[in-house]
């Protein structure tokens, strides 16, 4: 699975959009980009994933660049409860439910 | 949304003792995973389990660890002789609808070895 690079920490004001970047310059054509988050010491929570098209669900939006070498997770209206560690993970499709490899992630702090 | 249930939420044990951590994954799924997270460190893969067999394991998952499915719905992670460095959060996880979807993690068991 391709390696990802994320900033170690970011701040965001409550109510504003939080834009979390991720670089995955060695991504392969069959690899998906997944985003998870971990609030305090809870289990990681799946947020969203995509291959090459932008994706949106009830939690967030995922913007993937045309060359697929980077992506941005967007929380459109961040709340204090969105304070968490956010992980960008690249994983091949069709890997028969293979493992997830977590990096250090980005610590997002949402402040009032 | 389907849930993954872990028990106990917190376990304190003496060094050298055996511990068994339990998980009830999302039903009707044959794949199952264990991860751990030492305080302040990243989430690490331990083992994946498919159809009653280990399909992949990490270097961490040595002979002190074992995983079982004692009945149709429960999975267990056993540590035979705990060490201080086994103190961590242990998470189990089930995959989503297909291999391309996200995994659902349990809330974890905090293991403290004293």
């Amino acid at each position: 699975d391709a390696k990802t690079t994320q900033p170690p920490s970011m701040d965001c004001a409550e109510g504003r959009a939080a834009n979390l970047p991720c670089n995955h310059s060695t991504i392969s054509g069959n690899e998906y980009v997944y985003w998870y988050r971990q609030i305090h010491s809870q289990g990681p929570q799946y947020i969203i994933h995509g291959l090459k098209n932008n994706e949106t669900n009830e939690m967030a939006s995922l913007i993937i660049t045309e060359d697929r070498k980077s992506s941005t997770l967007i929380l459109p209206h961040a709340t204090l409860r969105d304070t968490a560690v956010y992980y960008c993970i690249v994983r091949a499709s069709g890997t028969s439910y293979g493992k997830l490899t977590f990096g250090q992630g980005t610590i997002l702090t949402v402040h009032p | 949304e389907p849930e993954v249930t872990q028990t106990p939420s917190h376990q304190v044990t003496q060094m050298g003792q055996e511990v068994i951590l339990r998980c009830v994954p999302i039903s009707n799924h044959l794949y199952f995973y264990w991860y751990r997270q030492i305080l302040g460190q990243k989430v690490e893969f331990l083992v994946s389990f498919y159809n009653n067999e280990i399909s992949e394991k990490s270097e961490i998952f040595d002979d002190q660890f074992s995983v079982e499915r004692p009945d149709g719905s429960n999975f267990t992670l056993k540590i035979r002789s705990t060490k201080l460095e086994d103190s961590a959060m242990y998470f189990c996880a089930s995959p989503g609808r297909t291999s391309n979807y996200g995994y659902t993690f349990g809330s974890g068991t905090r293991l403290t070895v004293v």
Side-chain angles (χ1 to χ4, degrees), chain B residues 53-81:
Chain B
E53 290 187 358
I54 290 175
S55 60
E56 185 177 4
K57 61 182 181 179
S58 70
E59 293 177 351
I60 304 168
F61 195 87
D62 60 21
D63 293 343
Q64 293 296 318
F65 290 89
S66 63
V67 58
E68 292 180 357
R69 191 177 185 183
D71 59 47
S73 60
N74 293 292
F75 285 85
T76 62
L77 176 70
K78 181 190 295 185
I79 309 176
R80 276 183 255 283
S81 178

PDB file of all heavy atoms in Angstrom, chain B residues 53-81:
ATOM      1  N   GLU B  53      -9.592 -19.223  10.494  1.00  0.00           N
ATOM      2  CA  GLU B  53      -8.144 -19.345  10.357  1.00  0.00           C
ATOM      3  C   GLU B  53      -7.498 -17.971  10.326  1.00  0.00           C
ATOM      4  O   GLU B  53      -8.103 -17.010   9.846  1.00  0.00           O
ATOM      5  CB  GLU B  53      -7.784 -20.085   9.059  1.00  0.00           C
ATOM      6  CG  GLU B  53      -8.127 -21.560   9.064  1.00  0.00           C
ATOM      7  CD  GLU B  53      -7.599 -22.258   7.822  1.00  0.00           C
ATOM      8  OE1 GLU B  53      -7.011 -21.571   6.959  1.00  0.00           O
ATOM      9  OE2 GLU B  53      -7.778 -23.476   7.718  1.00  0.00           O
ATOM     10  N   ILE B  54      -6.259 -17.890  10.795  1.00  0.00           N
ATOM     11  CA  ILE B  54      -5.508 -16.649  10.682  1.00  0.00           C
ATOM     12  C   ILE B  54      -5.117 -16.457   9.218  1.00  0.00           C
ATOM     13  O   ILE B  54      -4.522 -17.346   8.605  1.00  0.00           O
ATOM     14  CB  ILE B  54      -4.250 -16.691  11.569  1.00  0.00           C
ATOM     15  CG1 ILE B  54      -4.647 -16.648  13.049  1.00  0.00           C
ATOM     16  CG2 ILE B  54      -3.308 -15.538  11.228  1.00  0.00           C
ATOM     17  CD1 ILE B  54      -3.484 -16.797  14.003  1.00  0.00           C
ATOM     18  N   SER B  55      -5.479 -15.299   8.648  1.00  0.00           N
ATOM     19  CA  SER B  55      -5.128 -15.035   7.255  1.00  0.00           C
ATOM     20  C   SER B  55      -3.872 -14.173   7.141  1.00  0.00           C
ATOM     21  O   SER B  55      -3.148 -14.256   6.146  1.00  0.00           O
ATOM     22  CB  SER B  55      -6.290 -14.373   6.516  1.00  0.00           C
ATOM     23  OG  SER B  55      -6.627 -13.145   7.126  1.00  0.00           O
ATOM     24  N   GLU B  56      -3.629 -13.337   8.135  1.00  0.00           N
ATOM     25  CA  GLU B  56      -2.414 -12.512   8.132  1.00  0.00           C
ATOM     26  C   GLU B  56      -2.109 -12.109   9.568  1.00  0.00           C
ATOM     27  O   GLU B  56      -3.031 -11.897  10.358  1.00  0.00           O
ATOM     28  CB  GLU B  56      -2.599 -11.261   7.269  1.00  0.00           C
ATOM     29  CG  GLU B  56      -1.353 -10.421   7.114  1.00  0.00           C
ATOM     30  CD  GLU B  56      -1.545  -9.225   6.193  1.00  0.00           C
ATOM     31  OE1 GLU B  56      -2.684  -9.000   5.715  1.00  0.00           O
ATOM     32  OE2 GLU B  56      -0.557  -8.507   5.957  1.00  0.00           O
ATOM     33  N   LYS B  57      -0.831 -12.021   9.904  1.00  0.00           N
ATOM     34  CA  LYS B  57      -0.458 -11.542  11.232  1.00  0.00           C
ATOM     35  C   LYS B  57       0.789 -10.679  11.132  1.00  0.00           C
ATOM     36  O   LYS B  57       1.584 -10.814  10.209  1.00  0.00           O
ATOM     37  CB  LYS B  57      -0.231 -12.704  12.193  1.00  0.00           C
ATOM     38  CG  LYS B  57       0.875 -13.650  11.779  1.00  0.00           C
ATOM     39  CD  LYS B  57       0.981 -14.798  12.793  1.00  0.00           C
ATOM     40  CE  LYS B  57       2.103 -15.743  12.403  1.00  0.00           C
ATOM     41  NZ  LYS B  57       2.253 -16.859  13.388  1.00  0.00           N
ATOM     42  N   SER B  58       0.947  -9.799  12.101  1.00  0.00           N
ATOM     43  CA  SER B  58       2.103  -8.917  12.113  1.00  0.00           C
ATOM     44  C   SER B  58       3.203  -9.523  12.975  1.00  0.00           C
ATOM     45  O   SER B  58       3.015 -10.543  13.637  1.00  0.00           O
ATOM     46  CB  SER B  58       1.708  -7.545  12.659  1.00  0.00           C
ATOM     47  OG  SER B  58       1.435  -7.637  14.052  1.00  0.00           O
ATOM     48  N   GLU B  59       4.350  -8.829  12.977  1.00  0.00           N
ATOM     49  CA  GLU B  59       5.477  -9.277  13.797  1.00  0.00           C
ATOM     50  C   GLU B  59       5.143  -9.218  15.285  1.00  0.00           C
ATOM     51  O   GLU B  59       5.719  -9.938  16.092  1.00  0.00           O
ATOM     52  CB  GLU B  59       6.701  -8.410  13.516  1.00  0.00           C
ATOM     53  CG  GLU B  59       7.250  -8.575  12.108  1.00  0.00           C
ATOM     54  CD  GLU B  59       8.427  -7.645  11.858  1.00  0.00           C
ATOM     55  OE1 GLU B  59       8.700  -6.774  12.703  1.00  0.00           O
ATOM     56  OE2 GLU B  59       9.063  -7.795  10.807  1.00  0.00           O
ATOM     57  N   ILE B  60       4.212  -8.330  15.629  1.00  0.00           N
ATOM     58  CA  ILE B  60       3.824  -8.204  17.034  1.00  0.00           C
ATOM     59  C   ILE B  60       3.143  -9.479  17.517  1.00  0.00           C
ATOM     60  O   ILE B  60       3.279  -9.884  18.663  1.00  0.00           O
ATOM     61  CB  ILE B  60       2.860  -7.015  17.221  1.00  0.00           C
ATOM     62  CG1 ILE B  60       3.483  -5.723  16.698  1.00  0.00           C
ATOM     63  CG2 ILE B  60       2.444  -6.867  18.660  1.00  0.00           C
ATOM     64  CD1 ILE B  60       2.498  -4.588  16.583  1.00  0.00           C
ATOM     65  N   PHE B  61       2.397 -10.104  16.642  1.00  0.00           N
ATOM     66  CA  PHE B  61       1.582 -11.262  16.986  1.00  0.00           C
ATOM     67  C   PHE B  61       2.463 -12.496  17.093  1.00  0.00           C
ATOM     68  O   PHE B  61       2.550 -13.315  16.174  1.00  0.00           O
ATOM     69  CB  PHE B  61       0.489 -11.449  15.932  1.00  0.00           C
ATOM     70  CG  PHE B  61      -0.619 -12.375  16.354  1.00  0.00           C
ATOM     71  CD1 PHE B  61      -1.703 -11.887  17.061  1.00  0.00           C
ATOM     72  CD2 PHE B  61      -0.587 -13.722  16.030  1.00  0.00           C
ATOM     73  CE1 PHE B  61      -2.739 -12.734  17.442  1.00  0.00           C
ATOM     74  CE2 PHE B  61      -1.607 -14.578  16.418  1.00  0.00           C
ATOM     75  CZ  PHE B  61      -2.684 -14.073  17.115  1.00  0.00           C
ATOM     76  N   ASP B  62       3.160 -12.595  18.235  1.00  0.00           N
ATOM     77  CA  ASP B  62       4.074 -13.722  18.407  1.00  0.00           C
ATOM     78  C   ASP B  62       3.372 -14.878  19.110  1.00  0.00           C
ATOM     79  O   ASP B  62       2.137 -14.890  19.232  1.00  0.00           O
ATOM     80  CB  ASP B  62       5.322 -13.260  19.171  1.00  0.00           C
ATOM     81  CG  ASP B  62       4.998 -12.708  20.554  1.00  0.00           C
ATOM     82  OD1 ASP B  62       3.911 -13.037  21.090  1.00  0.00           O
ATOM     83  OD2 ASP B  62       5.812 -11.935  21.086  1.00  0.00           O
ATOM     84  N   ASP B  63       4.147 -15.826  19.594  1.00  0.00           N
ATOM     85  CA  ASP B  63       3.568 -17.042  20.172  1.00  0.00           C
ATOM     86  C   ASP B  63       2.772 -16.781  21.449  1.00  0.00           C
ATOM     87  O   ASP B  63       2.056 -17.672  21.917  1.00  0.00           O
ATOM     88  CB  ASP B  63       4.680 -18.056  20.462  1.00  0.00           C
ATOM     89  CG  ASP B  63       5.314 -18.581  19.188  1.00  0.00           C
ATOM     90  OD1 ASP B  63       4.679 -18.419  18.121  1.00  0.00           O
ATOM     91  OD2 ASP B  63       6.420 -19.136  19.256  1.00  0.00           O
ATOM     92  N   GLN B  64       2.938 -15.592  22.030  1.00  0.00           N
ATOM     93  CA  GLN B  64       2.181 -15.281  23.231  1.00  0.00           C
ATOM     94  C   GLN B  64       0.716 -14.952  22.920  1.00  0.00           C
ATOM     95  O   GLN B  64      -0.129 -14.945  23.802  1.00  0.00           O
ATOM     96  CB  GLN B  64       2.809 -14.077  23.957  1.00  0.00           C
ATOM     97  CG  GLN B  64       4.173 -14.362  24.534  1.00  0.00           C
ATOM     98  CD  GLN B  64       4.118 -15.431  25.612  1.00  0.00           C
ATOM     99  OE1 GLN B  64       3.219 -15.446  26.458  1.00  0.00           O
ATOM    100  NE2 GLN B  64       5.047 -16.362  25.577  1.00  0.00           N
ATOM    101  N   PHE B  65       0.443 -14.670  21.655  1.00  0.00           N
ATOM    102  CA  PHE B  65      -0.905 -14.278  21.248  1.00  0.00           C
ATOM    103  C   PHE B  65      -1.596 -15.441  20.550  1.00  0.00           C
ATOM    104  O   PHE B  65      -0.969 -16.241  19.852  1.00  0.00           O
ATOM    105  CB  PHE B  65      -0.852 -13.096  20.272  1.00  0.00           C
ATOM    106  CG  PHE B  65      -0.415 -11.795  20.882  1.00  0.00           C
ATOM    107  CD1 PHE B  65       0.930 -11.450  20.937  1.00  0.00           C
ATOM    108  CD2 PHE B  65      -1.344 -10.907  21.382  1.00  0.00           C
ATOM    109  CE1 PHE B  65       1.332 -10.239  21.494  1.00  0.00           C
ATOM    110  CE2 PHE B  65      -0.962  -9.691  21.933  1.00  0.00           C
ATOM    111  CZ  PHE B  65       0.379  -9.363  21.984  1.00  0.00           C
ATOM    112  N   SER B  66      -2.900 -15.513  20.713  1.00  0.00           N
ATOM    113  CA  SER B  66      -3.699 -16.445  19.932  1.00  0.00           C
ATOM    114  C   SER B  66      -5.087 -15.836  19.752  1.00  0.00           C
ATOM    115  O   SER B  66      -5.522 -14.999  20.539  1.00  0.00           O
ATOM    116  CB  SER B  66      -3.798 -17.816  20.610  1.00  0.00           C
ATOM    117  OG  SER B  66      -4.464 -17.704  21.853  1.00  0.00           O
ATOM    118  N   VAL B  67      -5.731 -16.234  18.685  1.00  0.00           N
ATOM    119  CA  VAL B  67      -7.075 -15.740  18.400  1.00  0.00           C
ATOM    120  C   VAL B  67      -7.961 -16.938  18.107  1.00  0.00           C
ATOM    121  O   VAL B  67      -7.540 -17.891  17.445  1.00  0.00           O
ATOM    122  CB  VAL B  67      -7.054 -14.723  17.238  1.00  0.00           C
ATOM    123  CG1 VAL B  67      -6.473 -15.319  15.995  1.00  0.00           C
ATOM    124  CG2 VAL B  67      -8.415 -14.142  16.990  1.00  0.00           C
ATOM    125  N   GLU B  68      -9.165 -16.876  18.627  1.00  0.00           N
ATOM    126  CA  GLU B  68     -10.077 -17.997  18.474  1.00  0.00           C
ATOM    127  C   GLU B  68     -11.487 -17.497  18.224  1.00  0.00           C
ATOM    128  O   GLU B  68     -11.830 -16.348  18.494  1.00  0.00           O
ATOM    129  CB  GLU B  68     -10.072 -18.862  19.741  1.00  0.00           C
ATOM    130  CG  GLU B  68      -8.797 -19.607  19.990  1.00  0.00           C
ATOM    131  CD  GLU B  68      -8.869 -20.451  21.254  1.00  0.00           C
ATOM    132  OE1 GLU B  68      -9.900 -20.406  21.950  1.00  0.00           O
ATOM    133  OE2 GLU B  68      -7.874 -21.150  21.528  1.00  0.00           O
ATOM    134  N   ARG B  69     -12.285 -18.412  17.734  1.00  0.00           N
ATOM    135  CA  ARG B  69     -13.716 -18.165  17.584  1.00  0.00           C
ATOM    136  C   ARG B  69     -14.419 -19.283  18.349  1.00  0.00           C
ATOM    137  O   ARG B  69     -14.789 -20.305  17.773  1.00  0.00           O
ATOM    138  CB  ARG B  69     -14.097 -18.190  16.110  1.00  0.00           C
ATOM    139  CG  ARG B  69     -15.499 -17.692  15.838  1.00  0.00           C
ATOM    140  CD  ARG B  69     -15.769 -17.675  14.349  1.00  0.00           C
ATOM    141  NE  ARG B  69     -17.065 -17.080  14.056  1.00  0.00           N
ATOM    142  CZ  ARG B  69     -17.568 -16.994  12.837  1.00  0.00           C
ATOM    143  NH1 ARG B  69     -16.870 -17.444  11.805  1.00  0.00           N
ATOM    144  NH2 ARG B  69     -18.743 -16.435  12.645  1.00  0.00           N
ATOM    145  N   PRO B  70     -14.601 -19.100  19.648  1.00  0.00           N
ATOM    146  CA  PRO B  70     -15.143 -20.192  20.465  1.00  0.00           C
ATOM    147  C   PRO B  70     -16.573 -20.580  20.123  1.00  0.00           C
ATOM    148  O   PRO B  70     -16.970 -21.718  20.348  1.00  0.00           O
ATOM    149  CB  PRO B  70     -15.047 -19.631  21.890  1.00  0.00           C
ATOM    150  CG  PRO B  70     -15.000 -18.154  21.728  1.00  0.00           C
ATOM    151  CD  PRO B  70     -14.299 -17.905  20.431  1.00  0.00           C
ATOM    152  N   ASP B  71     -17.335 -19.652  19.578  1.00  0.00           N
ATOM    153  CA  ASP B  71     -18.673 -19.996  19.112  1.00  0.00           C
ATOM    154  C   ASP B  71     -18.986 -19.170  17.879  1.00  0.00           C
ATOM    155  O   ASP B  71     -18.123 -18.458  17.368  1.00  0.00           O
ATOM    156  CB  ASP B  71     -19.723 -19.781  20.217  1.00  0.00           C
ATOM    157  CG  ASP B  71     -19.754 -18.346  20.706  1.00  0.00           C
ATOM    158  OD1 ASP B  71     -19.771 -17.426  19.859  1.00  0.00           O
ATOM    159  OD2 ASP B  71     -19.757 -18.148  21.923  1.00  0.00           O
ATOM    160  N   GLY B  72     -20.185 -19.244  17.406  1.00  0.00           N
ATOM    161  CA  GLY B  72     -20.505 -18.631  16.122  1.00  0.00           C
ATOM    162  C   GLY B  72     -20.433 -17.126  16.078  1.00  0.00           C
ATOM    163  O   GLY B  72     -20.276 -16.542  15.009  1.00  0.00           O
ATOM    164  N   SER B  73     -20.519 -16.480  17.261  1.00  0.00           N
ATOM    165  CA  SER B  73     -20.612 -15.023  17.220  1.00  0.00           C
ATOM    166  C   SER B  73     -19.473 -14.310  17.939  1.00  0.00           C
ATOM    167  O   SER B  73     -19.294 -13.118  17.742  1.00  0.00           O
ATOM    168  CB  SER B  73     -21.949 -14.578  17.835  1.00  0.00           C
ATOM    169  OG  SER B  73     -22.036 -15.023  19.174  1.00  0.00           O
ATOM    170  N   ASN B  74     -18.722 -14.996  18.772  1.00  0.00           N
ATOM    171  CA  ASN B  74     -17.682 -14.335  19.552  1.00  0.00           C
ATOM    172  C   ASN B  74     -16.281 -14.642  19.036  1.00  0.00           C
ATOM    173  O   ASN B  74     -16.016 -15.743  18.551  1.00  0.00           O
ATOM    174  CB  ASN B  74     -17.749 -14.808  21.015  1.00  0.00           C
ATOM    175  CG  ASN B  74     -19.006 -14.343  21.691  1.00  0.00           C
ATOM    176  OD1 ASN B  74     -19.189 -13.167  21.914  1.00  0.00           O
ATOM    177  ND2 ASN B  74     -19.877 -15.284  21.996  1.00  0.00           N
ATOM    178  N   PHE B  75     -15.422 -13.641  19.142  1.00  0.00           N
ATOM    179  CA  PHE B  75     -14.008 -13.828  18.866  1.00  0.00           C
ATOM    180  C   PHE B  75     -13.226 -13.445  20.114  1.00  0.00           C
ATOM    181  O   PHE B  75     -13.639 -12.563  20.855  1.00  0.00           O
ATOM    182  CB  PHE B  75     -13.553 -12.943  17.709  1.00  0.00           C
ATOM    183  CG  PHE B  75     -14.001 -13.418  16.369  1.00  0.00           C
ATOM    184  CD1 PHE B  75     -15.255 -13.072  15.884  1.00  0.00           C
ATOM    185  CD2 PHE B  75     -13.186 -14.216  15.595  1.00  0.00           C
ATOM    186  CE1 PHE B  75     -15.674 -13.504  14.645  1.00  0.00           C
ATOM    187  CE2 PHE B  75     -13.596 -14.648  14.352  1.00  0.00           C
ATOM    188  CZ  PHE B  75     -14.840 -14.297  13.873  1.00  0.00           C
ATOM    189  N   THR B  76     -12.100 -14.108  20.316  1.00  0.00           N
ATOM    190  CA  THR B  76     -11.271 -13.775  21.469  1.00  0.00           C
ATOM    191  C   THR B  76      -9.822 -13.568  21.044  1.00  0.00           C
ATOM    192  O   THR B  76      -9.352 -14.154  20.062  1.00  0.00           O
ATOM    193  CB  THR B  76     -11.304 -14.878  22.536  1.00  0.00           C
ATOM    194  OG1 THR B  76     -10.784 -16.082  21.987  1.00  0.00           O
ATOM    195  CG2 THR B  76     -12.714 -15.108  23.046  1.00  0.00           C
ATOM    196  N   LEU B  77      -9.148 -12.702  21.794  1.00  0.00           N
ATOM    197  CA  LEU B  77      -7.701 -12.519  21.679  1.00  0.00           C
ATOM    198  C   LEU B  77      -7.130 -12.903  23.023  1.00  0.00           C
ATOM    199  O   LEU B  77      -7.509 -12.332  24.046  1.00  0.00           O
ATOM    200  CB  LEU B  77      -7.350 -11.071  21.336  1.00  0.00           C
ATOM    201  CG  LEU B  77      -5.859 -10.752  21.281  1.00  0.00           C
ATOM    202  CD1 LEU B  77      -5.205 -11.427  20.074  1.00  0.00           C
ATOM    203  CD2 LEU B  77      -5.624  -9.239  21.224  1.00  0.00           C
ATOM    204  N   LYS B  78      -6.241 -13.893  23.023  1.00  0.00           N
ATOM    205  CA  LYS B  78      -5.639 -14.356  24.257  1.00  0.00           C
ATOM    206  C   LYS B  78      -4.164 -13.989  24.270  1.00  0.00           C
ATOM    207  O   LYS B  78      -3.458 -14.176  23.278  1.00  0.00           O
ATOM    208  CB  LYS B  78      -5.798 -15.877  24.402  1.00  0.00           C
ATOM    209  CG  LYS B  78      -5.218 -16.437  25.694  1.00  0.00           C
ATOM    210  CD  LYS B  78      -5.179 -17.965  25.704  1.00  0.00           C
ATOM    211  CE  LYS B  78      -6.536 -18.577  25.667  1.00  0.00           C
ATOM    212  NZ  LYS B  78      -6.475 -20.058  25.792  1.00  0.00           N
ATOM    213  N   ILE B  79      -3.735 -13.465  25.405  1.00  0.00           N
ATOM    214  CA  ILE B  79      -2.309 -13.230  25.633  1.00  0.00           C
ATOM    215  C   ILE B  79      -1.916 -14.161  26.760  1.00  0.00           C
ATOM    216  O   ILE B  79      -2.435 -14.044  27.878  1.00  0.00           O
ATOM    217  CB  ILE B  79      -2.009 -11.761  26.005  1.00  0.00           C
ATOM    218  CG1 ILE B  79      -2.644 -10.813  24.986  1.00  0.00           C
ATOM    219  CG2 ILE B  79      -0.492 -11.539  26.057  1.00  0.00           C
ATOM    220  CD1 ILE B  79      -2.482  -9.338  25.342  1.00  0.00           C
ATOM    221  N   ARG B  80      -1.032 -15.087  26.480  1.00  0.00           N
ATOM    222  CA  ARG B  80      -0.756 -16.184  27.416  1.00  0.00           C
ATOM    223  C   ARG B  80      -0.033 -15.729  28.680  1.00  0.00           C
ATOM    224  O   ARG B  80      -0.397 -16.095  29.777  1.00  0.00           O
ATOM    225  CB  ARG B  80       0.058 -17.267  26.727  1.00  0.00           C
ATOM    226  CG  ARG B  80      -0.765 -18.234  25.942  1.00  0.00           C
ATOM    227  CD  ARG B  80       0.106 -19.329  25.335  1.00  0.00           C
ATOM    228  NE  ARG B  80       0.293 -19.123  23.910  1.00  0.00           N
ATOM    229  CZ  ARG B  80      -0.632 -19.408  23.005  1.00  0.00           C
ATOM    230  NH1 ARG B  80      -1.788 -19.891  23.341  1.00  0.00           N
ATOM    231  NH2 ARG B  80      -0.388 -19.199  21.730  1.00  0.00           N
ATOM    232  N   SER B  81       0.984 -14.977  28.547  1.00  0.00           N
ATOM    233  CA  SER B  81       1.788 -14.529  29.683  1.00  0.00           C
ATOM    234  C   SER B  81       2.096 -13.051  29.468  1.00  0.00           C
ATOM    235  O   SER B  81       3.034 -12.695  28.758  1.00  0.00           O
ATOM    236  CB  SER B  81       3.082 -15.342  29.777  1.00  0.00           C
ATOM    237  OG  SER B  81       3.878 -14.892  30.848  1.00  0.00           O
TER     238      SER B  81
END
